Amino acid sequence: DTEVTQTPKHLVMGMTNKKSLKCEQHMGHRAMYWYKQKAKKPPELMFVYSYEKLSINESVPSRFSPECPNSSLLNLHLHALQPEDSALYLCASSPRLAGGNEQFFGPGTRLTVL
Amino acid sequence: GQNIDQPTEMTATEGAIVQINCTYQTSGFNGLFWYQQHAGEAPTFLSYNVLDGLEEKGRFSSFLSRSKGYSYLLLKELQMKDSASYLCAAYIKAAGNKLTFGGGTRVLVKP
C-alpha cells in the first residue's frame, strides 16, 4: 500500500460547525503533515507530526486543531472557521522527518466554509 | 527568510522541450524537490537533488547548482498530459526539516 488516503473528498460547513478531516497511511511512515492550498498557489505547511508528536506548528489559528492518534492516522479538527479558510487541505507523509525524504501526498479535502 | 522563485506560466508545443527554472535564497538548504500537480489533484514527486549536477529520469531531468542557488526541471518530448503545475520546493533542515515551496509554474502544452 503506497498511498495516502483522505476523507472526505469534499466538505461544506458553516462557520458555527465542528468537523474533522481524516488522513491515513499504511506505509510505516513516521512523519505526517497538513498543508493548506488556495487556488493557483503552492501548498502552505500548517502542522508536522513526527513519531506521533507535534513537531511544527506554523502559527496556525487555534480554530484548526491537529491530532495524531497513532502512527497511521492524522486528523484535523475544525471549529468556527471563516470563509477565507476555504481551500484544499492536503495531508502528506514521509518515512521520517529528517533526511529530506520524499513526501507522499493524499488527494486532499476540498473545504468550503459558508 | 526563505525566498524561492519560479516563473508563473510557460507555454510549449507538444513534442518540444521546456525548461523550468527555480532560484532560491534560503538558509539551511539541504536539497531541492520537484513536484508535479495537475489541477485539483495532489502533488506527485518528480525528483530530489542534493548534490550539484543533472539527474535524468526518463523524459524528465533535474539540475542543481548549490553555489548559484539555482535548479531547473527539463521536460522533453512534451505530451498533452504534461500540462500541469510544477512546484520546486527547498528542503530546509535548519527550519525543522520542512519543505518550502515556490509559487509553482503552470505549464500549458499546446498541440
Side-chain angles (χ1 to χ4, degrees):
Chain A
D1 187 353
T2 58
E3 64 172 359
V4 177
T5 59
Q6 290 186 243
T7 55
K9 286 190 177 178
H10 300 274
L11 178 62
V12 179
M13 61 186 290
M15 289 189 283
T16 58
N17 292 158
K18 281 186 183 181
K19 296 286 184 184
S20 296
L21 309 185
K22 295 186 184 304
C23 173
E24 192 166 0
Q25 57 86 16
H26 295 287
M27 294 179 278
H29 290 175
R30 302 312 296 271
M32 296 185 77
Y33 312 77
W34 280 116
Y35 288 88
K36 172 183 176 180
Q37 187 175 28
K38 301 283 266 186
K40 298 187 179 181
K41 297 288 185 184
E44 295 175 31
L45 184 66
M46 299 174 73
F47 302 104
V48 181
Y49 273 82
S50 177
Y51 289 86
E52 296 91 73
K53 286 187 171 28
L54 185 63
S55 178
I56 296 176
N57 176 343
E58 292 287 272
S59 303
V60 179
S62 60
R63 56 186 185 269
F64 295 92
S65 175
E67 179 198 19
C68 191
N70 61 55
S71 60
S72 299
L73 292 174
L74 185 66
N75 298 322
L76 186 62
H77 303 298
L78 315 172
H79 174 54
L81 293 195
Q82 304 295 311
E84 59 264 29
D85 296 322
S86 298
L88 181 68
Y89 288 84
L90 293 164
C91 173
S93 72
S94 64
R96 59 188 186 284
L97 192 54
N101 291 270
E102 170 194 346
Q103 291 183 21
F104 292 77
F105 285 83
T109 293
R110 188 158 298 282
L111 174 68
T112 303
V113 182
L114 301 175
Chain B
Q2 321 290 354
N3 200 33
I4 302 172
D5 289 314
Q6 49 181 131
T8 307
E9 252 181 39
M10 301 180 76
T11 302
T13 306
E14 197 175 11
I17 298 173
V18 70
Q19 177 173 314
I20 305 169
N21 296 325
C22 172
T23 58
Y24 61 89
Q25 292 173 309
T26 65
S27 52
F29 174 84
N30 267 70
L32 200 290
F33 284 87
W34 283 96
Y35 280 83
Q36 179 192 59
Q37 187 175 25
H38 287 97
E41 297 182 12
T44 55
F45 170 81
L46 291 178
S47 67
Y48 177 49
N49 292 68
V50 179
L51 302 176
D52 285 359
L54 185 68
E55 300 231 354
E56 297 185 76
K57 204 183 281 187
R59 294 189 298 115
F60 293 4
S61 304
S62 57
F63 171 84
L64 177 67
S65 168
R66 295 177 72 119
S67 61
K68 295 181 179 175
Y70 168 68
S71 172
Y72 69 73
L73 180 70
L74 195 68
L75 315 181
K76 294 182 249 184
E77 299 167 23
L78 279 173
Q79 302 176 8
M80 299 299 290
K81 66 178 182 180
D82 297 329
S83 292
S85 282
Y86 292 85
L87 303 161
C88 70
Y91 168 56
I92 312 292
K93 190 173 181 182
N97 295 295
K98 65 180 186 181
L99 289 185
T100 300
F101 284 87
T105 299
R106 283 190 299 282
V107 171
L108 177 62
V109 180
K110 293 186 173 178

